[in-house]
């Protein structure tokens, strides 16, 4: 009789990434290669579907992905599985876990006792090694831990002691991993069409951005799947996917010469199968010519200049000096002109070395570059990113606070028990170069940019300004000063600032509050815990559009 194993990449119902769970499926496919006749695999994305399946059948091994958007949901689920059937083996893996800090790793597992094993880094090889040990010990987890068995890339706690083993090197030849698509593991998801197919043509990123989880040297070596493998997957998806959008998980698609050939395959399936109708991916950060050559073959797609900052000191601190921001901007603007698509840029507020002057300049540079959207994001302290390490926190004197991730406060039911599993972000709100008050002023400026620039309401007015050789950034900066004296908008900015400040000093503070049923209801009704930047932009446009026009035209 085969051993039943579940792979769950569950996400909250309103989570935006509606893609097939490729990462955890790759691990399942690699295990399938070794244990096809011993294991019965099932892969889940929908949290409700997974919970319903558990009511009928509890797996012998329950595997979960761990990201910033599903950590608590996964843990609250596994804790109930373990209470119901204690001999189920629970295995977690994913980037929401420190790569090198032993104390942080230990604290994570000590605070989550229902996790039997945690797999660090790339999961395929460690998972297979762990399965070998589980079969050898007849799934006696307690005995494995008592014997302190060292399993490559696996961490666990035994009697308060933190047991680790060195991570194996990443798989050098990626084709050693069977395609979860081609072996049929994901057919059920393709047939439903609710999730967009996600593909991976390369692994690794050559850049060392410290705010990113791929910024660690462990991920710097870039490896590729073979052309034949990728082509076979694209053709399989064209014939079998009910979803018409293809997403790529690559960190720098289009930057390598091989990507030209992949784009030719995609273009061919577009012509022959009318698939995909849409394409999503993170384009290469350098090699402007190659990126444009590759993407022009596909024709219609979205383009993003993830510059994060244009300040030289910030770029130096986050190790992005080998990435050309100018090249990224040229890519999105050339693409915009060729395809009539919207050009999009991203800026992160509060990065190491950031300041009010630097953040304003980054926005100004993006606006004057001509991109259609200059959007600023919060600096999230990702556990596996170099910037979140203790040494970097101390060096930059980061001030951080905690917030509930929007749209993660929902009621779930498992084994007849109702529960909540809100996710929590740690964000940077200041540093030795960015006082908290300056951070707040930057947030207010971000709201101005959203309302008066990003949404295209004043597109014709901006064109007129450009035609008169006036810098658009001067227009936006003058508007920002003008709104401070507007009685009509004063309440909007004050309320936005109030919600911006509604953060908690520690994780424990916010966790304590989230036990209050009334507070949970406020999050569910979105009285609190919204994306204040987008919400207040909408309020301004919908309720105060006449005042926005008055200010914009008077400044112009």
């Amino acid at each position: 009789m085969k051993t039943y194993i579940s792979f769950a990449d569950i996400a909250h119902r309103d989570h935006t990434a509606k893609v097939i769970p490729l990462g955890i499926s790759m691990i399942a496919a690699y295990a399938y290669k070794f244990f096809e006749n011993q294991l019965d695999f099932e892969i889940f994305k929908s949290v409700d579907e997974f919970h319903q399946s558990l009511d009928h059948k509890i797996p012998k091994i329950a595997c979960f992905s761990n990201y910033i958007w599903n950590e608590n949901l996964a843990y609250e689920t596994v804790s109930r599985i373990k209470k119901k059937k204690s001999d189920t083996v629970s295995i977690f893996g994913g980037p929401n876990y420190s790569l090198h800090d032993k104390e942080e790793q230990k604290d994570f597992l000590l605070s989550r006792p229902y996790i039997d094993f945690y797999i660090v880094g790339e999961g395929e090889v460690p998972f297979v090694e762990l399965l070998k040990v589980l079969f050898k010990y007849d799934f006696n987890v307690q005995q494995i831990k008592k014997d302190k068995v060292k399993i490559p890339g696996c961490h666990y706690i035994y009697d308060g002691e933190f047991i680790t083993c060195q991570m194996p090197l990443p798989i050098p030849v990626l084709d050693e991993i069977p395609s979860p698509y081609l072996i049929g593991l994901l057919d059920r998801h393709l047939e439903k069409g609710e999730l967009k197919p996600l593909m991976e043509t390369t692994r690794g990123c050559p850049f060392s951005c410290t705010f990113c989880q791929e910024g660690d040297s462990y991920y710097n070596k870039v490896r590729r799947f073979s052309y034949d493998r990728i082509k076979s997957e694209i053709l399989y998806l064209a014939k079998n996917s009910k979803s018409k959008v293809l997403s790529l998980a690559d960190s720098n698609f289009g930057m390598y010469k091989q990507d030209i050939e992949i784009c030719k395959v995609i273009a061919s399936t577009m012509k022959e199968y009318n698939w995909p109708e849409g394409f999503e991916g993170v384009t290469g950060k350098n090699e402007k010519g190659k990126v444009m050559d590759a993407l022009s073959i596909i024709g219609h797609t979205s383009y993003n200049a993830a510059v994060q900052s244009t300040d030289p000191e910030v770029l130096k601190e986050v190790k992005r000096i080998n990435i050309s921001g100018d090249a990224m901007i040229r890519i999105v603007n050339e693409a915009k002109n060729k395809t009539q698509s919207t050009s999009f840029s991203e800026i992160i507020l509060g990065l190491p070395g950031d300041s009010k002057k630097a953040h304003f300049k980054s926005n100004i540079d993006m606006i004057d570059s001509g991109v259609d959207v200059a959007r600023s994001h919060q600096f999230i302290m990702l556990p596996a990113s170099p910037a979140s390490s203790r040494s970097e926190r101390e060096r930059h004197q980061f001030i951080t606070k905690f917030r509930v991730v929007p749209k993660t406060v929902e009621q779930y039911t498992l084994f007849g028990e109702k529960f909540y599993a809100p996710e929590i972000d740690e964000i940077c709100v200041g540093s030795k170069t960015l006082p908290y008050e300056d951070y707040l002023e930057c947030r207010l400026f971000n709201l101005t940019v959203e309302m008066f620039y990003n949404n295209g309401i004043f597109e014709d007015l901006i064109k007129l300004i450009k035609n008169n050789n006036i810098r658009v950034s001067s227009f936006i900066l003058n508007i920002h000063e003008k709104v401070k004296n507007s009685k009509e908008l004063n309440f909007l900015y004050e309320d936005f600032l109030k919600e911006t400040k509604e953060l908690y000093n520690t994780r424990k503070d916010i966790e304590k509050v989230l036990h209050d049923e009334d507070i949970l209801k406020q999050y569910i009704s979105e009285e609190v815990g919204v994306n204040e930047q987008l919400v207040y932009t909408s309020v301004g446009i919908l309720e105060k559009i006449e005042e926005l026009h008055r200010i914009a035209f008077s400044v112009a």
Side-chain angles (χ1 to χ4, degrees):
M1 184 178 178
K2 291 185 178 182
T3 301
Y4 176 52
I5 177 170
S6 64
F7 292 87
D9 183 39
I10 52 177
H12 291 271
R13 296 183 186 111
D14 287 335
H15 187 257
T16 54
K18 301 294 185 183
V19 294
I20 279 177
L22 180 66
I24 206 166
S25 300
M26 289 283 210
I27 295 170
Y30 194 66
Y32 180 88
K33 177 179 176 179
F34 294 88
F35 301 98
E36 177 184 355
N37 298 320
Q38 295 170 268
L39 296 174
D40 181 17
F41 300 85
E42 195 161 9
I43 298 167
F44 295 92
K45 182 68 177 182
S46 163
V47 59
D48 294 315
E49 184 181 277
F50 183 49
H51 286 173
Q52 290 165 14
S53 76
L54 290 170
D55 283 330
H56 298 96
K57 186 178 183 181
I58 298 177
K60 183 64 179 177
I61 305 174
C63 304
F64 293 85
S65 64
N66 179 34
Y67 296 97
I68 58 172
W69 59 78
N70 73 349
E71 177 188 297
N72 289 336
L73 180 59
Y75 187 70
E76 289 297 327
T77 297
V78 81
S79 66
R80 284 158 177 79
I81 293 173
K82 294 284 281 185
K83 289 173 186 176
K84 188 80 171 179
K85 196 171 185 296
S86 60
D87 64 343
T88 291
V89 182
S90 60
I91 304 171
F92 272 54
N96 201 39
Y97 182 84
S98 176
L99 267 181
H100 304 295
D101 192 313
K102 299 296 183 186
E103 288 302 313
E104 285 188 11
Q105 293 168 342
K106 181 179 179 180
D107 290 345
F108 180 94
L109 291 177
L110 283 173
S111 65
R112 297 163 180 81
Y114 291 110
I115 298 177
D116 289 322
F117 301 98
Y118 201 101
I119 291 176
V120 195
E122 288 191 4
E124 286 88 0
V125 172
F127 182 69
V128 165
E129 293 302 313
L130 175 55
L131 284 179
K132 290 176 181 176
V133 173
L134 287 170
F135 277 113
K136 179 180 177 181
Y137 276 79
D138 195 26
F139 297 95
N140 189 335
V141 171
Q142 192 63 17
Q143 191 61 50
I144 292 171
K145 293 186 174 185
K146 187 177 180 181
D147 290 347
K148 299 180 182 179
V149 179
K150 295 279 188 176
I151 308 165
C154 289
H155 294 179
Y156 60 88
I157 299 289
Y158 174 67
D159 198 22
E161 183 181 354
F162 184 43
I163 311 297
T164 68
C165 186
Q166 187 175 359
M167 289 186 289
L169 293 173
I171 294 175
V173 181
L174 291 181
D175 278 10
E176 290 181 11
I177 307 168
S179 166
Y181 290 115
L182 300 180
I183 64 175
L185 286 182
L186 294 166
D187 283 355
R188 178 168 61 90
H189 296 289
L190 294 176
E191 290 166 4
K192 283 186 175 182
E194 297 170 356
L195 303 173
K196 292 173 283 190
L198 181 65
M199 279 187 62
E200 184 180 44
T201 72
T202 65
R203 274 194 190 179
C205 180
F207 306 110
S208 302
C209 310
T210 64
F211 54 84
C212 176
Q213 290 166 320
E214 281 195 320
D216 190 89
S217 59
Y218 175 81
Y219 295 108
N220 283 162
K221 184 175 176 58
V222 177
R223 295 147 291 143
R224 292 190 67 85
F225 288 96
S226 68
Y227 170 80
D228 290 339
R229 152 79 170 256
I230 297 166
K231 180 179 179 180
S232 296
E233 285 193 337
I234 293 171
L235 291 173
Y236 189 87
L237 293 174
K239 295 174 183 178
N240 295 282
S241 174
K242 292 293 192 297
S243 170
K244 296 297 184 181
V245 177
L246 172 63
S247 294
L248 277 190
D250 299 22
S251 298
N252 295 283
F253 186 71
M255 203 173 77
Y256 308 104
K257 61 181 181 180
Q258 300 96 321
D259 295 335
I260 293 281
E261 300 306 316
I262 302 307
C263 287
K264 288 179 180 177
V265 175
I266 294 172
S268 174
T269 60
M270 285 178 170
K271 184 176 181 180
E272 185 174 353
Y273 298 98
N274 195 30
W275 189 95
E277 294 178 4
F279 177 83
E280 300 173 344
V282 178
T283 54
K285 301 173 184 67
N286 275 347
E287 300 290 347
K288 166 187 168 289
K290 289 179 183 176
V291 173
M292 281 306 303
D293 288 345
L295 297 180
S296 63
I297 295 170
I298 300 173
H300 54 275
T301 184
S302 58
Y303 302 87
N304 179 6
V307 296
Q308 318 308 4
S309 176
T310 62
D311 183 79
E313 283 303 310
V314 176
L315 296 175
K316 181 180 176 182
E317 287 291 349
V318 299
K319 297 184 178 179
R320 277 177 75 93
I321 53 176
N322 61 336
I323 298 174
S324 174
D326 289 341
M328 280 194 281
I329 295 166
R330 287 199 300 272
I331 289 171
V332 295
N333 282 328
E334 285 185 30
K336 168 187 170 182
N337 294 332
K338 285 185 178 181
T339 65
Q340 302 302 307
S341 61
T342 299
S343 56
F344 189 95
S345 67
E346 289 182 331
I347 302 162
I348 299 178
L349 169 62
L351 289 172
D354 205 3
S355 64
K356 175 183 171 181
K357 180 181 178 181
H359 184 68
F360 269 61
K361 183 180 183 298
S362 295
N363 278 270
I364 288 167
D365 289 344
M366 289 299 96
I367 290 168
D368 286 338
S369 76
V371 297
D372 298 310
V373 177
R375 178 150 296 145
S376 292
H377 300 285
Q378 304 278 65
F379 173 29
I380 300 176
M381 308 299 286
L382 302 173
S385 66
S388 73
S389 66
R390 299 186 191 204
S391 60
E392 287 297 285
R393 288 170 183 260
E394 291 172 5
R395 188 165 75 88
H396 294 288
Q397 298 173 26
F398 288 138
I399 304 166
T400 68
K401 291 183 182 290
F402 296 83
R403 67 180 181 190
V404 173
V405 178
K407 297 185 181 298
T408 64
V409 183
E410 301 178 81
Q411 191 177 81
Y412 298 99
T413 303
L414 180 57
F415 305 132
E417 179 188 1
K418 294 180 179 179
F419 68 94
Y420 298 89
E423 307 299 339
I424 298 170
D425 274 345
E426 181 185 11
I427 60 171
C428 180
V429 299
S431 66
K432 66 181 181 182
T433 57
L434 182 70
Y436 180 58
E437 291 305 316
D438 284 359
Y439 161 83
L440 294 176
E441 181 59 33
C442 289
R443 290 285 287 160
L444 290 172
F445 183 57
N446 295 157
L447 179 60
T448 297
V449 173
E450 284 288 346
M451 282 197 295
F452 289 90
Y453 182 77
N454 284 352
N455 288 279
I457 294 173
F458 302 107
E459 182 179 1
D460 291 337
L461 188 57
I462 286 172
K463 286 179 180 178
L464 177 64
I465 286 168
K466 286 181 179 178
N467 288 338
N468 281 274
N469 297 316
I470 298 171
R471 292 173 65 188
V472 179
S473 62
S474 295
F475 172 60
I476 299 299
L477 285 167
N478 276 274
I479 284 176
H480 187 58
E481 290 302 312
K482 192 90 170 178
V483 294
K484 294 177 181 179
N485 300 318
S486 166
K487 292 181 180 179
E488 289 286 315
L489 293 184
N490 188 47
F491 86 96
L492 186 71
Y493 277 76
E494 284 186 354
D495 286 352
F496 170 78
L497 196 60
K498 180 182 176 183
E499 291 215 23
T500 296
K501 292 178 179 179
E502 286 183 349
L503 302 168
Y504 296 83
N505 292 326
T506 68
R507 188 177 292 273
K508 287 184 178 179
D509 288 343
I510 196 169
E511 287 173 346
K512 184 178 180 181
V513 167
L514 291 172
H515 287 296
D516 188 322
E517 191 78 23
D518 291 333
I519 297 293
L520 291 169
K521 288 178 180 177
Q522 289 179 29
Y523 277 102
I524 292 172
S525 64
E526 298 189 346
E527 294 175 50
V528 295
V530 296
N531 183 324
E532 62 270 8
Q533 187 167 289
L534 298 184
V535 166
Y536 280 90
T537 297
S538 300
V539 172
I541 291 170
L542 293 173
E543 298 182 7
K544 297 295 176 182
I545 191 66
E546 290 184 8
E547 179 67 1
L548 298 189
H549 275 78
R550 187 192 69 77
I551 291 174
F553 278 86
S554 66
V555 169

Coordinates of all heavy atoms in Angstrom, one line a residue, residues 64 72-86 90 92 112-115 414-415 417 419:
F64 N 4.5 21.5 3.6 CA 4.0 22.9 3.4 C 5.1 23.8 2.9 O 6.2 23.7 3.4 CB 3.4 23.4 4.7 CG 2.2 22.7 5.2 CD1 2.3 21.6 6.0 CD2 1.0 23.2 5.0 CE1 1.2 20.9 6.5 CE2 -0.2 22.6 5.5 CZ 0.0 21.4 6.2
N72 N 1.5 31.7 8.6 CA 0.6 31.4 9.7 C -0.5 30.5 9.3 O -1.0 29.6 10.1 CB 0.1 32.7 10.3 CG 1.1 33.5 11.1 OD1 2.1 32.9 11.6 ND2 1.0 34.8 11.2
L73 N -1.0 30.7 8.1 CA -2.1 29.8 7.6 C -1.6 28.3 7.5 O -2.3 27.4 7.9 CB -2.5 30.3 6.2 CG -3.6 29.5 5.5 CD1 -4.9 29.5 6.3 CD2 -3.9 30.0 4.1
A74 N -0.4 28.1 7.0 CA 0.2 26.8 7.0 C 0.4 26.2 8.4 O 0.0 25.0 8.6 CB 1.5 26.8 6.2
Y75 N 0.9 27.0 9.3 CA 1.2 26.5 10.6 C -0.1 26.2 11.4 O -0.2 25.2 12.1 CB 2.1 27.4 11.4 CG 2.5 26.8 12.7 CD1 3.3 25.7 12.7 CD2 1.9 27.2 14.0 CE1 3.7 25.1 13.9 CE2 2.2 26.5 15.1 CZ 3.1 25.5 15.1 OH 3.4 24.8 16.3
E76 N -1.1 27.1 11.3 CA -2.4 26.8 12.0 C -3.0 25.6 11.4 O -3.7 24.8 12.2 CB -3.3 28.1 11.8 CG -2.9 29.3 12.6 CD -2.9 29.1 14.1 OE1 -3.7 28.3 14.6 OE2 -2.1 29.6 14.8
T77 N -2.8 25.3 10.1 CA -3.4 24.1 9.5 C -2.7 22.9 10.1 O -3.3 21.9 10.5 CB -3.3 24.2 8.0 OG1 -4.1 25.3 7.5 CG2 -3.8 22.9 7.4
V78 N -1.3 22.9 10.0 CA -0.6 21.7 10.5 C -0.7 21.4 11.9 O -0.7 20.3 12.4 CB 0.9 21.9 10.1 CG1 1.7 22.7 11.1 CG2 1.6 20.5 10.0
S79 N -0.9 22.5 12.7 CA -1.1 22.2 14.2 C -2.4 21.4 14.4 O -2.4 20.6 15.3 CB -1.2 23.6 14.9 OG -2.3 24.3 14.6
R80 N -3.4 21.7 13.6 CA -4.7 21.0 13.8 C -4.6 19.5 13.2 O -5.2 18.6 13.8 CB -5.8 21.7 13.1 CG -6.2 22.9 14.0 CD -7.0 24.0 13.2 NE -7.4 25.1 14.1 CZ -6.5 26.0 14.6 NH1 -5.3 26.0 14.2 NH2 -7.0 26.9 15.5
I81 N -3.8 19.4 12.2 CA -3.5 18.0 11.7 C -2.8 17.2 12.7 O -3.2 16.0 13.0 CB -2.7 18.1 10.4 CG1 -3.4 18.7 9.2 CG2 -2.2 16.7 10.0 CD1 -2.6 19.0 8.0
K82 N -1.8 17.8 13.4 CA -1.0 17.0 14.3 C -1.8 16.7 15.6 O -1.7 15.6 16.2 CB 0.2 17.8 14.7 CG 1.2 18.0 13.6 CD 2.0 16.7 13.3 CE 3.1 16.5 14.3 NZ 4.0 15.4 14.0
K83 N -2.7 17.6 16.0 CA -3.6 17.3 17.1 C -4.6 16.2 16.8 O -5.0 15.4 17.7 CB -4.4 18.6 17.5 CG -3.5 19.7 18.1 CD -4.3 20.9 18.3 CE -3.4 22.1 18.8 NZ -4.1 23.4 19.0
K84 N -5.0 16.1 15.5 CA -6.0 15.1 15.1 C -5.3 13.8 14.9 O -5.8 12.7 15.2 CB -6.6 15.5 13.8 CG -7.8 14.7 13.3 CD -9.1 15.0 14.1 CE -10.2 14.3 13.4 NZ -11.5 14.5 14.2
K85 N -4.1 13.8 14.3 CA -3.3 12.6 14.0 C -1.8 12.8 14.3 O -1.1 13.3 13.4 CB -3.6 12.2 12.5 CG -3.2 10.7 12.2 CD -3.7 10.4 10.8 CE -3.4 8.9 10.4 NZ -2.0 8.6 10.4
S86 N -1.4 12.5 15.5 CA -0.1 13.0 15.9 C 1.1 12.3 15.2 O 2.2 12.8 15.1 CB 0.1 12.7 17.4 OG -0.1 11.3 17.7
S90 N 5.2 16.2 9.7 CA 5.0 17.5 9.1 C 6.4 18.1 8.7 O 7.3 18.1 9.5 CB 4.4 18.5 10.2 OG 5.2 18.6 11.3
F92 N 8.2 21.4 6.6 CA 8.1 22.8 6.1 C 9.3 23.1 5.3 O 10.4 22.6 5.5 CB 7.9 23.8 7.2 CG 6.5 24.1 7.6 CD1 5.7 23.0 8.0 CD2 5.9 25.3 7.6 CE1 4.4 23.2 8.4 CE2 4.6 25.6 8.0 CZ 3.8 24.5 8.4
R112 N 7.3 26.9 17.0 CA 6.4 26.2 16.2 C 6.6 24.7 16.4 O 7.1 24.0 15.5 CB 6.5 26.6 14.7 CG 6.2 28.1 14.5 CD 6.8 28.6 13.2 NE 6.4 30.0 12.9 CZ 7.1 31.0 13.5 NH1 8.2 30.8 14.3 NH2 6.8 32.3 13.2
P113 N 6.2 24.2 17.5 CA 6.6 22.8 17.9 C 5.9 21.7 17.0 O 6.3 20.5 17.0 CB 6.1 22.6 19.3 CG 5.1 23.7 19.5 CD 5.5 24.8 18.6
Y114 N 4.9 22.1 16.2 CA 4.2 21.1 15.4 C 4.9 20.9 14.0 O 4.5 20.1 13.2 CB 2.7 21.5 15.1 CG 1.9 21.4 16.4 CD1 1.4 22.6 17.0 CD2 1.6 20.2 16.9 CE1 0.6 22.5 18.1 CE2 0.8 20.1 18.1 CZ 0.3 21.3 18.7 OH -0.4 21.2 19.8
I115 N 6.0 21.6 13.8 CA 6.8 21.3 12.6 C 7.9 20.3 13.0 O 8.7 20.5 13.9 CB 7.5 22.6 12.1 CG1 6.5 23.7 11.7 CG2 8.5 22.3 10.9 CD1 7.1 25.0 11.3
L414 N -11.5 23.8 10.0 CA -10.9 22.5 9.8 C -11.3 21.6 10.9 O -11.1 22.0 12.1 CB -9.3 22.7 9.7 CG -8.5 21.4 9.5 CD1 -8.9 20.7 8.3 CD2 -7.0 21.7 9.5
F415 N -11.7 20.4 10.6 CA -12.2 19.4 11.6 C -13.3 20.0 12.5 O -13.3 19.7 13.7 CB -11.0 18.9 12.5 CG -9.9 18.3 11.7 CD1 -8.6 18.7 11.9 CD2 -10.1 17.4 10.6 CE1 -7.5 18.2 11.2 CE2 -9.0 16.9 9.9 CZ -7.7 17.3 10.2
E417 N -13.5 23.0 13.5 CA -13.0 24.1 14.4 C -12.8 25.3 13.5 O -12.1 25.2 12.5 CB -11.7 23.7 15.1 CG -11.2 24.8 15.9 CD -9.8 24.5 16.5 OE1 -9.3 23.4 16.2 OE2 -9.2 25.4 17.2
F419 N -11.1 29.0 12.9 CA -9.9 29.7 13.3 C -9.5 30.8 12.3 O -10.0 30.8 11.2 CB -8.7 28.7 13.5 CG -8.2 28.1 12.2 CD1 -7.1 28.6 11.5 CD2 -8.8 26.9 11.7 CE1 -6.7 28.0 10.3 CE2 -8.4 26.3 10.5 CZ -7.3 26.9 9.8

